[in-house]
Amino acid sequence: MSKQTKARIIDAAEALFAEQGYGQTSMREITSKANVNLASVNYHFGSKKNLIQAVLKRYFDVLMPQVDDMLETLIPSQGRKGVDQLLQGLALPLLHLNAVQPNGTEIFVQLLGKGYTESQGHLRKFILGNYGETIEGLLSMLRIALPAIPADELFWRLHFAIGSFVFSMASSQALKDIAKADYQQDIEIQDVIAHLVPFVAQGISAEGYAREL
Amino acid sequence: MSKQTKARIIDAAEALFAEQGYGQTSMREITSKANVNLASVNYHFGSKKNLIQAVLKRYFDVLMPQVDDMLETLIPSQGRKGVDQLLQGLALPLLHLNAVQPNGTEIFVQLLGKGYTESQGHLRKFILGNYGETIEGLLSMLRIALPAIPADELFWRLHFAIGSFVFSMASSQALKDIAKADYQQDIEIQDVIAHLVPFVAQGISAEGYAREL
DNA sequence: GTCTATAGGATGATAGAC
DNA sequence: GTCTATCATCCTATAGAC
């Protein structure tokens, strides 16, 4: 029953990776949580690096085609409205990742964040190599929406935006606890995205540029 | 010469922690870079955890009193202007950390970012326990600047803002690489902060609220 | 495909000589 | 305070029996 073992390894690995990070998660933890033998990871995936990429691939292969579709059907608008459209258009495919796996959206974004902050060089290569065109498409749509903002300024804002999202996910357990205790709110990933969209849209569309300090 | 050894360990440790993260940096790397004996870390600091806290303490003890001063002398303004003031007011003490150590600001924020994303529980306790009052002061100043925004909405935006900053620093090596490769820019920490302030100020001050998806 | 056993290293921490 | 030597424990990866 190879398929079962392989799937169980991926399921266990992604949960542990998302929670603890790649470097801090050992093969022993993974195989123990998956109830499979330690050696089976190397049999099925070859190495830990390959396992990490396989975990992400399952999500990217669902997400990216949907983003491509969205980009194709989107009628470009300029300014804040165009940015809003784009972000809303991204939100839906992201939420569809919940179909891959219960809690899939949250897991995926956490995996992304950990990949960024741990310097997993092989991950960047893997993502850009396999899904670079979609990312390029997103960027050019953003450039159309904000033609007055220089490319390098857009680069900065995009990363700040990603940071807002990824960090919120990375510390989502803390956020959930605080929100429940202080504001009597139960938070789901939809809520995070709903609050995030106006914040990011506003920040990205800002007309003032960097100023000397 | 205890003092020299202790200082050399801290210097070497903070550089390695900022670059690689806490978990990925071994005592052997630290002592080798510092040119001291392996056992001296445990002699002077007791444990790796204590060393991590000592590294951060050197920066916090400079930063936080300056933030306190800033908060005391600040004349509160409302709206986007008040937010801008507050962020600018934070930027200067942060940049003063370059006096602690060459490249001190960058190192400090990277240390913070790594501490957030690696789940170093002891670090959060250490920070809140020792510098919680300053953080509370910052929060109440923000509430004065944006009285119309409900507390829970402010809570969200604050975390998005922190996320932009921390994430940008935690992944600053990646950002530098990309910026140099794609935009021929050499990035300094001032640049990150200068680009970040308008983005965050604009996002925090946004008048639109969360919308159902 | 799955298992045990183990190679071959790295890690944090410490005992004890100097 | 500084050193060497070492303990005990972790790690990834693999060889080889079943």
Side-chain angles (χ1 to χ4, degrees):
Chain A
M1 296 226 185
S2 143
K3 206 174 175 185
Q4 245 197 48
T5 298
K6 213 171 162 176
R8 279 154 66 137
I9 291 173
I10 291 207
D11 287 348
E14 71 167 31
L16 290 168
F17 286 154
E19 192 191 329
Q20 309 178 329
Y22 304 101
Q24 322 273 349
T25 300
S26 69
M27 310 278 260
R28 279 169 172 80
E29 278 178 286
I30 294 167
T31 52
S32 154
K33 175 166 182 145
N35 265 315
V36 301
N37 188 272
L38 171 61
S40 58
V41 173
N42 277 285
Y43 177 79
H44 286 286
F45 296 94
S47 71
K48 192 179 174 182
K49 274 185 185 178
N50 285 351
L51 173 59
I52 292 174
Q53 296 183 6
V55 163
L56 274 171
K57 182 172 162 51
R58 188 159 68 158
Y59 285 98
F60 272 116
D61 283 350
V62 171
L63 176 71
M64 290 316 217
Q66 291 188 22
V67 173
D68 285 334
D69 287 352
M70 182 273 289
L71 288 176
E72 271 172 35
T73 60
L74 193 74
I75 296 157
S77 303
Q78 293 207 349
R80 167 72 200 259
K81 187 185 160 198
V83 174
D84 243 336
Q85 264 184 350
L86 201 58
L87 292 176
Q88 297 282 341
L90 271 178
L92 286 181
L94 266 175
L95 287 174
H96 282 154
L97 293 182
N98 282 325
V100 174
Q101 191 70 193
N103 241 348
T105 304
E106 185 166 355
I107 291 174
F108 171 72
V109 183
Q110 287 186 7
L111 290 171
L112 253 195
K114 305 276 180 176
Y116 242 111
T117 52
E118 301 183 30
S119 32
Q120 298 274 357
H122 67 103
L123 256 191
R124 246 197 76 192
K125 277 183 205 161
F126 168 75
I127 294 173
L128 284 180
N130 289 280
Y131 312 98
E133 288 181 20
T134 302
I135 294 170
E136 209 22 72
L138 265 172
L139 266 173
S140 58
M141 197 61 87
L142 192 60
R143 280 191 218 104
I144 291 175
L146 299 169
I149 297 181
D152 67 318
E153 180 72 26
L154 266 187
F155 159 82
W156 282 108
R157 295 187 183 176
L158 204 59
H159 276 89
F160 295 146
I162 295 173
S164 310
F165 193 28
V166 164
F167 176 84
S168 302
M169 288 304 103
S171 53
S172 68
Q173 195 48 56
L175 287 190
K176 283 180 182 172
D177 294 347
I178 299 169
K180 187 153 198 177
D182 292 4
Y183 307 101
Q184 293 78 45
Q185 291 185 348
D186 275 313
I187 296 176
E188 302 294 331
I189 178 81
Q190 291 96 318
D191 300 316
V192 181
I193 294 180
H195 285 267
L196 183 68
V197 166
F199 176 92
V200 165
Q202 187 81 9
I204 284 190
S205 316
E207 282 178 12
Y209 290 175
R211 172 189 346 177
E212 292 301 317
L213 285 176
Chain B
M1 296 228 183
S2 140
K3 204 174 175 184
Q4 245 197 45
T5 298
K6 214 171 162 177
R8 281 154 65 134
I9 291 173
I10 292 206
D11 286 348
E14 71 169 30
L16 290 168
F17 286 154
E19 192 192 329
Q20 308 178 330
Y22 303 101
Q24 322 274 348
T25 301
S26 70
M27 311 277 263
R28 281 167 175 81
E29 276 180 285
I30 294 167
T31 52
S32 156
K33 175 169 182 142
N35 266 314
V36 301
N37 188 272
L38 171 61
S40 58
V41 173
N42 278 284
Y43 176 80
H44 285 287
F45 296 94
S47 70
K48 190 179 175 183
K49 273 185 186 178
N50 285 352
L51 174 59
I52 292 174
Q53 295 183 6
V55 163
L56 273 171
K57 181 172 161 52
R58 188 161 67 157
Y59 286 98
F60 271 116
D61 283 350
V62 172
L63 177 71
M64 290 316 219
Q66 291 190 21
V67 173
D68 286 335
D69 287 352
M70 183 272 289
L71 288 175
E72 270 171 36
T73 60
L74 194 74
I75 297 155
S77 304
Q78 295 205 346
R80 166 73 201 260
K81 188 185 158 197
V83 174
D84 243 335
Q85 264 185 349
L86 200 58
L87 292 176
Q88 298 280 342
L90 271 177
L92 285 181
L94 267 174
L95 288 174
H96 283 155
L97 294 181
N98 282 325
V100 174
Q101 192 66 197
N103 240 347
T105 304
E106 181 167 359
I107 291 173
F108 170 71
V109 185
Q110 285 185 12
L111 289 171
L112 251 195
K114 305 274 180 178
Y116 246 110
T117 51
E118 301 183 29
S119 30
Q120 298 274 359
H122 67 104
L123 257 190
R124 251 198 73 181
K125 274 183 205 162
F126 168 75
I127 295 172
L128 283 180
N130 290 281
Y131 312 98
E133 287 180 20
T134 303
I135 294 170
E136 209 22 74
L138 267 172
L139 264 173
S140 58
M141 198 60 86
L142 190 61
R143 280 190 218 103
I144 292 175
L146 298 170
I149 296 182
D152 68 320
E153 181 69 26
L154 212 50
F155 158 81
W156 282 108
R157 294 185 183 178
L158 201 61
H159 276 90
F160 295 145
I162 295 173
S164 307
F165 196 28
V166 163
F167 178 84
S168 301
M169 290 304 103
S171 56
S172 73
Q173 194 50 56
L175 287 189
K176 281 181 181 176
D177 294 347
I178 299 170
K180 189 153 196 177
D182 293 3
Y183 303 101
Q184 292 78 46
Q185 289 189 349
D186 276 311
I187 296 176
E188 303 294 329
I189 179 79
Q190 292 94 321
D191 301 318
V192 181
I193 294 180
H195 285 267
L196 184 68
V197 165
F199 176 92
V200 165
Q202 186 81 7
I204 284 190
S205 315
E207 285 179 7
Y209 289 175
R211 169 191 344 176
E212 292 300 318
L213 286 175

